[in-house]
Amino acid sequence: MSGEIQAAEEKNKSKLWEDIDAGAVAKAFSDMRDDLDTLRKEMLKLEQDKTNYDKTKAALTTVRDGDFSQSGWISSFIAENTTAFPGLNGDGSKKASRPDWYHALLPDKRKKYDEILDFMDDAVKLSAFFKPFAEILTKLPLDNTFRVFAIIKNMATRGWSTEEYQKINKDIETTCTLLNYSWADLDGKAPEAERYYQQNISRMDSPKAKEGYFKLRQDAYAKVVDGLYIGKSMNYRGNGRFGVLADRIGSMRVMDAYMGKLVMHKDLGGRLAPLVSAADELKNSMMGKVKVCTGPGRSLYQGMLDLIVAVWFFMNRALEEFNKFKEGSSEAPYCYMKCPEEASKAKGWFGFEPAWGDSWSKGTGYYEIYRKALYAITAQCHDFAYVHGRVH
């Protein structure tokens, strides 16, 4: 009894033409088409919605390691029936695929054979593209590729536009303007301190009088900062202390982190370029040679074409976007990979040297721009109040 059960199970698993019918093969073709469509749709969504990465990866694994593999249903179907259809070579000729014993079959068997032969003919033609397709999916750096789209979307959501990039330039420019003021220029902007000095000149040796003078100098300097563009990114905390606004410095940290992720995978362009070419070549090859004869075969063929087009588009668009970062496009968000041009004009006063070198070597330095600006402004304020006034 157990032998009969085992034989029945083996027959159920069998893909030999004697053990299956055209409906079973049609369903297998349809199931594979569904897998391809699922992957295609997930890849199209992945450009817009980073939350479906896991679904896309799972769909890709199913197609690559299942449908396109040697253990996949169609490949197994071909392998199990090769001897029964010895003439199949994928050139579209089915007559040569009928063996001599075919004519000895009963009419219903010949009909079944012919139906399966049509599917075998389609399967052999389509399976010729399984291996190159699987190789593209294997080499596709899905995680790093979709990250390019995610970074672009997140940067747009945060409002990091070209105008915002120019605001950083303006912050640098006005910081340089401030640090380039002479002590005489700054003295002219502190009339209250001068008036206080003249009114209290006789007792300026006292610590209390000095402290009043220093505070007026500090406050005058703070007003100068507040009147410049950089003042929008900073606040005065009193006693010569300044701070960068939390949301500003926080944004710069995030900006450096985003750019850092691109730098970590700076070879992405070199990895994607040959895959884009391979996908384009495969697409053209499929469009030029395949002529299928069954409805499910045509549906599967169209599904394969639709998927390779989607994969090509996904990789090609990611490559274009990545190259815009790489080439330093002036548009946002790509421009953020370049050091703002005003940074190179800084003269280094009070240590303000915000320019960085190759962004693709060590990443960007937006956080450092504001950290150095804060240090320089605090140092200039200190010297203006305590070193270059009338009282020391």
Side-chain angles (χ1 to χ4, degrees):
M1 188 71 178
S2 60
E4 293 178 359
I5 295 175
Q6 183 177 357
E9 290 178 349
E10 290 178 353
K11 186 172 182 179
N12 287 333
K13 294 179 181 178
S14 173
K15 298 178 181 65
L16 289 172
W17 74 274
E18 298 101 326
D19 299 330
I20 58 176
D21 56 28
V25 185
K27 183 179 184 305
F29 275 44
S30 177
D31 289 345
M32 181 172 176
R33 168 66 192 259
D34 290 344
D35 289 345
L36 301 181
D37 280 349
T38 296
L39 176 55
R40 177 181 61 83
K41 292 174 182 177
E42 293 300 335
M43 291 195 75
L44 291 175
K45 288 193 295 183
L46 191 57
E47 293 183 37
Q48 307 299 327
D49 183 6
K50 64 180 181 179
T51 60
N52 77 314
Y53 170 76
D54 290 337
K55 290 182 180 180
T56 307
K57 185 177 180 180
L60 187 151
T61 300
T62 296
V63 171
R64 181 193 63 202
D65 299 343
D67 296 311
F68 285 153
S69 71
Q70 289 297 310
S71 61
W73 200 99
I74 290 180
S75 294
S76 298
F77 169 65
I78 295 171
E80 290 188 31
N81 288 282
T82 298
T83 56
F85 301 88
L88 281 176
N89 54 18
D91 67 355
S93 173
K94 295 189 290 297
K95 287 184 179 180
S97 300
R98 291 179 172 84
D100 293 339
W101 49 261
Y102 164 82
H103 301 286
L105 295 173
L106 294 175
D108 60 331
K109 283 285 188 179
R110 285 201 300 270
K111 180 182 178 182
K112 181 178 182 181
Y113 182 96
D114 290 342
E115 290 175 345
I116 300 299
L117 174 57
D118 286 342
F119 281 104
M120 274 290 288
D121 190 60
D122 287 352
V124 169
K125 291 174 183 176
L126 296 177
S127 66
F129 303 104
F130 287 4
K131 183 177 180 180
F133 213 139
E135 288 179 350
I136 291 172
L137 295 181
T138 299
K139 295 178 181 178
L140 170 60
L142 185 67
D143 53 349
N144 297 331
T145 303
F146 105 90
R147 184 174 289 113
V148 175
F149 297 123
I151 288 174
I152 291 172
K153 181 180 179 180
N154 288 344
M155 292 178 72
T157 301
R158 285 179 169 271
W160 286 334
S161 61
T162 305
E163 291 74 21
E164 189 65 23
Y165 180 73
Q166 291 307 321
K167 289 180 181 179
I168 299 174
N169 253 316
K170 193 70 174 177
D171 277 342
I172 299 171
E173 179 185 25
T174 52
T175 299
C176 290
T177 298
L178 175 63
L179 300 178
N180 287 334
Y181 280 144
S182 68
W183 300 118
D185 290 333
L186 291 174
D187 282 339
K189 300 177 185 295
E192 293 86 354
E194 176 61 20
R195 186 161 45 252
Y196 177 88
Y197 174 80
Q198 295 298 338
Q199 292 173 350
N200 297 278
I201 192 170
S202 62
R203 60 186 189 91
M204 286 307 294
D205 287 339
S206 73
K208 185 176 181 180
K210 285 184 177 181
E211 192 57 39
Y213 177 74
F214 294 149
K215 185 178 184 305
L216 288 171
R217 297 274 287 186
Q218 291 170 339
D219 292 347
Y221 182 88
K223 288 181 180 179
V224 174
V225 175
D226 190 58
L228 295 172
Y229 195 87
I230 184 62
K232 297 179 180 180
S233 296
M234 292 193 173
N235 57 5
Y236 182 54
R237 300 175 179 178
N239 297 319
R241 296 181 298 110
F242 295 83
V244 181
L245 296 179
D247 61 341
R248 194 63 173 162
I249 199 67
S251 292
M252 295 303 100
R253 283 183 181 274
V254 174
M255 175 66 69
D256 287 332
Y258 279 151
M259 297 299 99
K261 289 180 180 179
L262 292 173
V263 172
M264 285 176 61
H265 304 285
K266 58 186 175 183
D267 64 335
L268 182 61
R271 296 172 67 185
L272 283 177
L275 289 177
V276 170
S277 297
D280 191 48
E281 183 178 342
L282 179 58
K283 172 172 60 72
N284 293 334
S285 178
M286 290 176 63
M287 293 177 67
K289 294 183 178 180
V290 182
K291 293 182 179 179
V292 288
C293 57
T294 69
R298 284 189 290 271
S299 177
L300 178 55
Y301 167 56
Q302 188 61 54
M304 291 174 65
L305 271 179
D306 291 344
L307 179 58
I308 193 60
V309 169
V311 170
W312 176 88
F313 185 81
F314 178 81
M315 296 189 301
N316 189 64
R317 179 148 180 266
L319 180 60
E320 290 177 347
E321 297 288 3
F322 184 80
N323 283 340
K324 289 180 181 179
F325 281 109
K326 195 79 173 179
E327 295 162 3
S329 170
S330 59
E331 300 176 358
Y334 322 105
C335 56
Y336 285 91
M337 187 56 80
K338 297 187 301 180
C339 183
E341 60 182 13
E342 291 296 328
S344 63
K345 301 177 183 178
K347 297 179 180 179
W349 301 124
F350 299 95
F352 188 60
E353 296 176 304
W356 64 76
D358 180 12
S359 301
W360 291 95
S361 176
K362 296 182 179 180
T364 57
Y366 289 100
Y367 171 75
E368 283 297 301
I369 286 175
Y370 287 88
R371 189 187 70 82
K372 290 179 178 179
L374 176 60
Y375 175 86
I377 289 172
T378 301
Q380 187 183 37
C381 179
H382 175 274
D383 284 8
F384 176 64
Y386 292 98
V387 179
H388 293 279
R390 292 183 178 275
V391 179
H392 302 94

